[in-house]
Each structure stands twice: as C-alpha cells, then as structure tokens.
Amino acid sequence: MAVSCDSTPMGTLPPGPSEPPLVQTLRWLLRPISFLESCRRRYGDTFSVSFLGFQTPMVMLADPDAIRALYTVPGHTLPPGRTIALQPIVGSRSLLLLEGREHLARRRLMLPPFHGERMRAYEATVREVVAAEVESWPEDEPFPLHPRMQAVTLEVILRAVFGVTDPARRTQLAEALGRLLAGTSSAGVQFGVLLFRRFGGPDPLAAMAALRREIDGMLGAEIAERRADPREDILSLLVTARFEDGEPMDDQEVRDQLMTLLLAGHETTATGLAWTFDLLLRHPHALERLVAAVDAGEEAYLRAVVSESLRLRPVIPLAGRRLSQELRVNGHVLPPDTDVTPAIWLTHTRPDRYPEPYAFRPERFLENAPATYAWVPFGGGVRRCIGAAFAEMEMRVVLAEILRRRTLRPASDAAERVARRNVTFSPRTGTQTIASPR
Ligand code: HEM
C-alpha cells in the first residue's frame, strides 16, 4: 500500500479486464456493480479499465490510502468527458469545468455560502417545501418516490439557492429548467453531441437554444434584482462576493454558477433520498428506530442513516483526476496524464473498513466514524463537493418531515436495483412506495 508521488521512471498500468473497450463500456453501463465486483475479485484494489471514447485506460482505486494519495495532490486536472457533457448547460466558467488557479479562485468565492453553519438558515425553506409536497401525494396507493424527491430538490434550489420568491416565476422557471435538463441529459443527445463535435453536421443542441435564451432571460432578471437588493439566498451571496482582486463575478458568470449548482445539486440529492427511502423500506427495524428518533427530536440516528445510505448506495460512482505528476499506489507507478478515479462503490464495501459491508446498518456510524478517504460519496481534495453540507442537511430535513407526516411501506417485495442515469447510480424503478397519513 505504498503511496507517494516522486519522479521514478514510468511504470506499467495495473492489470484489468482484457475485453474490447466496447464490451467493458457496455458492462459498465448495463451492470455496473457486477462489473466492478468482478474486477475486484480478479485484480484486487487497483485495476485498469478501458472505456469507449477514452484514448487511454482509466485506473480505478478502492484503497482509502491510495485515494488519499490521489486527492491530496491539488495539481491534478480533470479527466476528459466532463466538458462535453456539461458545458452546453453550465457554461464555460462553471466551477465544475474550470481548472487550476481559475478553479480555486471560484471555489474560494463560492464556498462560504455553503459553510455548515449557514445551513441552519435554509432548513426552514426545506421544511416548507416538503410539507407542501407531501400534501399532494396519493393515499394508500403505489407511486414512485424518486420523481417526488426531484420535485422537492428542484424547488429547494429555486428558493434557497436562486432565491426566487414569486411563486409564478418559480413555476415558470421550474418548468423550463425541467425541459432543459430532460432535453440535454438523454443518452441519445449526449451521443449526438459527441458525433457533432467529432464530425460536424446539425447541432443536436440547436433545438435547445431558444429554451436556453428563455431561461437566461429569467435568471438575468433574478440576478439584476439581487444586485439591487441582496437577501439571504445563495445568489445574493454570489453577487456580493469579491475575488481577491476586489472584482465581483459578472452576470454571465453568475448565471454559469447558478446552472452549475442546479445541475450538481438537484438530481444527486433527489437520488440520495430515493435510495435512503428504499433502504429504509427494506429494513423495518431501522425505519422504526428512525421514526422513534425523529419523534423524539434526536438527530444522531438520522445523521447515521444518511451516512450509511450514501455509503451503501453512492449516487456518483466515480470522481476522477488526470494525473499532473506520477502517483505510486499499491506497488504501481502511474505516470503523469493517467486518468485515475476512486471506485466509490468498491471503497465503501471493503470488509476491513466496514464489517458485513453489504448490510444496511446505520449504527456503524454511531459506533465509529470511518476514515476520511474510506467514505467518499462527495469526492475529495480541492474538488470535493461544495454542496455536501447542504445535501446532508436537506436529506435529514426531508426524511424527518416525511416520516413525521406519513407511514411508508414498500409497494413491491424486491429492493431496487442500480440503474445508471446520466452520471448517477439511480434506483431502477423509482422507489415505488405506499404512503398513509400518520
Ligand atoms: C447527495 C447529494 C450529492 C452528491 C452525492 C454529490 C457528489 C459530488 C461529487 C462526487 C462531486 C465531485 C467531487 C470530486 O471530483 O472530488 C461533486 C462536486 C460538486 N458538487 Fe456535489 N453532490 C451532491 C449534492 C450537491 C449539492 C446540493 C450542490 C449544490 C447546491 C452540489 C454542488 C457541487 C459542485 C459545485 C461541485 C463541483 C466542485 C468543484 O469542482 O470544485 N452538490 N458533488
């Protein structure tokens, strides 16, 4: 488990599956967990996979010490791919896409509004959104929870992050953003964008141009209002913040960062919630204990449930880097420019760190906090998720408010299987549930 960075001669990449990239890509897209598990059985904690569209193999790590070595070098860059998929929506100055000094300058400016203590201010907003949402649920008949969680997290972003107070404007913006996200995230459109970049021809995103202009107009109006009259929302904090040279972000950049926060924070949190409910529905003792804790106003078990769910069902499976310098991990010397990523699922299911790794046991987080790099649902280092504290707060409040109001039971016997949805691991049938008033 030697982990260090220095300048010894170039090494060979760790071994990995020998199938052609097309086969490995299909296995990853269709059966990601079984693909990862079979690599672990065969090659251990460190292995190389070859995916279509990548010029070179990608090295996957499942050892927390190796992940620490990767994430604690701030100079590594991003692997290719993110820009193609995201730039059309988030814009070129998005925190998700910038590198090096430009990235760090934005990060410094954007982190303070997401500081843990500030989150208290947003709890009341989340509570209101959930209370209204639950009222619209059918009683005693099956419905999928995942889309309901998406509605909640979108509304929360529009209120707490964008600060849109006018309900009519919120409805209009939610509807337009929903169409944009649906229209740009399908696999067909993403593949079309790749072909367009490579070969030219009709731009598959041209149809979205009018919609984007419409959304930009609405966001522009919000930005102007907040510049004139800042409030408590995150947009207000962004327009009043200053870079180190004293300059503010211009309107175009603020717009890019708003779309970034929407894209990074909406589907992820909704999916984390859908998984948490799925796990609770399959573990009645844990659900019972959680309801009792919520009724008693205790937070420790609630926090443990969120941590355990993000361990056992990590929403984002990979958060990689392209090496800026050599990296030594598990006896391998990985040369600069290698793409390396933690395999988050494999890291979270190590029996040496998590006894009975496949069991849903929130208690484990009450007994021992895991080492930092053994629990990485939010990535790490200088690119660690800036919304982590926000997402955990939102998950806690949504869980507590729903369980206070409704008794939930599963609508089918089978636990959800993992399906890939854009860049996430998502519950395949949307967490079908039956809810009754308490
Ligand atoms: C359960 C919910 C969430 C999960 C699982 C999640 C996960 C992640 C992961 C894995 C990364 C990449 C980290 C890396 O490369 O090291 C990331 C980055 C990011 N996330 Fe989250 N996220 C969640 C919620 C949110 C929320 C609520 C927001 C904001 C409202 C947000 C904003 C961001 C941003 C802006 C980045 C880019 C950071 C950078 O590149 O410096 N995320 N997130």
Side-chain angles (χ1 to χ4, degrees):
M1 217 164 19
V3 281
S4 67
C5 295
D6 59 25
S7 53
T8 45
M10 236 179 78
T12 51
L13 295 184
S18 56
E19 296 118 345
L22 174 64
V23 176
Q24 295 189 44
T25 308
L26 287 175
R27 288 180 70 192
W28 168 248
L29 291 177
L30 301 175
R31 302 286 306 278
I33 301 292
S34 88
F35 178 62
L36 290 169
E37 294 278 359
S38 80
C39 290
R40 164 152 66 189
R41 275 194 302 277
R42 185 102 196 261
Y43 308 103
D45 281 342
T46 313
F47 52 88
S48 307
V49 299
S50 293
F51 289 150
L52 271 190
F54 282 75
Q55 311 277 334
T56 49
M58 176 181 284
V59 176
M60 295 206 176
L61 311 174
D63 168 17
D65 291 331
I67 294 171
R68 173 196 307 278
L70 176 70
Y71 277 159
T72 47
V73 175
H76 298 324
T77 56
L78 289 169
R82 208 183 253 197
T83 310
I84 293 171
L86 298 183
Q87 190 164 321
I89 303 184
V90 295
S92 58
R93 276 184 288 169
S94 163
L95 182 71
L96 274 166
L97 303 181
L98 290 174
E99 308 255 25
R101 280 217 305 276
E102 287 189 310
H103 169 255
L104 269 187
R106 267 82 197 163
R107 213 174 141 92
R108 277 199 201 106
L109 194 133
M110 291 173 71
L111 267 172
F114 287 97
H115 194 272
E117 280 162 24
R118 281 205 64 88
M119 291 306 113
R120 291 275 163 205
Y122 302 118
E123 277 189 30
T125 306
V126 180
R127 213 168 276 130
E128 268 177 41
V129 172
V130 185
E133 167 61 33
V134 168
E135 290 308 311
S136 72
W137 288 2
E139 273 178 31
D140 301 315
E141 57 182 78
F143 69 100
L145 261 181
H146 191 186
R148 303 324 318 148
M149 295 300 103
Q150 289 169 317
V152 167
T153 59
L154 181 57
E155 182 78 3
V156 166
I157 289 196
L158 291 181
R159 287 206 202 181
V161 179
F162 292 19
V164 188
T165 42
D166 176 39
R169 274 202 203 173
R170 263 204 316 268
T171 310
Q172 209 187 351
L173 200 49
E175 187 273 330
L177 289 168
R179 272 195 290 145
L180 183 75
L181 293 176
T184 47
S185 61
S186 79
V189 171
Q190 295 285 334
F191 190 60
V193 172
L194 277 174
L195 291 180
F196 170 68
R197 296 272 157 115
R198 179 81 181 76
F199 302 111
D203 179 354
L205 294 174
M208 292 285 152
L211 179 58
R212 268 170 40 203
R213 275 197 301 277
E214 189 190 326
I215 292 171
D216 285 356
M218 289 190 260
L219 292 182
E222 295 295 329
I223 294 169
E225 281 177 25
R226 232 60 93 248
R227 280 206 197 281
D229 180 18
R231 299 192 299 244
E232 280 291 287
D233 49 77
I234 289 178
L235 168 55
S236 293
L237 297 164
L238 290 183
V239 297
T240 47
R242 296 288 178 268
F243 289 113
E244 275 170 0
D245 62 5
E247 287 298 307
M249 280 189 192
D250 64 33
D251 284 1
Q252 181 59 39
E253 169 151 7
V254 173
R255 176 259 169 224
D256 285 3
Q257 308 306 3
L258 285 179
M259 293 304 287
T260 299
L261 296 172
L262 168 74
L263 203 79
H266 155 56
E267 179 69 32
T268 43
T269 313
T271 305
L273 278 163
W275 278 126
T276 309
F277 279 113
D278 193 61
L279 288 164
L280 287 168
L281 292 172
R282 312 289 158 196
H283 297 84
H285 292 303
L287 179 57
E288 217 171 278
R289 183 167 174 185
L290 180 60
V291 171
V294 164
D295 287 349
E298 286 164 14
E299 218 178 72
Y301 195 69
L302 183 56
R303 284 179 182 269
V305 164
V306 170
S307 303
E308 176 70 341
S309 300
L310 291 172
R311 176 190 75 83
L312 200 51
R313 297 288 184 270
V315 175
I316 306 269
L318 310 175
R321 305 286 184 262
R322 173 163 284 189
L323 298 186
S324 60
Q325 63 187 85
E326 190 179 270
L327 178 73
R328 294 182 157 227
V329 283
N330 302 99
H332 301 280
V333 183
L334 309 179
D337 293 329
T338 309
D339 294 329
V340 184
T341 181
I344 298 178
W345 161 271
L346 294 180
T347 311
H348 286 184
T349 50
R350 291 176 66 92
D352 62 342
R353 302 293 180 132
Y354 300 102
E356 294 182 71
Y358 301 103
F360 177 68
R361 224 169 54 76
E363 290 74 11
R364 67 173 92 237
F365 283 85
L366 296 176
E367 293 150 10
N368 288 309
T372 309
Y373 295 95
W375 188 81
V376 283
F378 296 108
V382 293
R383 298 209 85 110
R384 186 176 190 268
C385 176
I386 66 167
F390 190 99
E392 289 176 297
M393 173 278 292
E394 186 173 356
M395 289 177 71
R396 285 195 302 276
V397 175
V398 171
L399 283 164
E401 290 305 312
I402 289 176
L403 294 178
R404 266 189 207 119
R405 291 174 165 77
R406 292 291 183 273
T407 303
L408 302 180
R409 56 185 203 279
S412 76
D413 290 339
E416 283 283 353
R417 303 216 0 231
V418 171
R420 281 186 43 89
R421 214 180 125 98
N422 308 326
V423 295
T424 62
F425 275 0
S426 184
R428 194 175 290 263
T429 64
T431 307
Q432 299 285 332
T433 310
I434 300 172
S436 329
R438 272 183 82 182

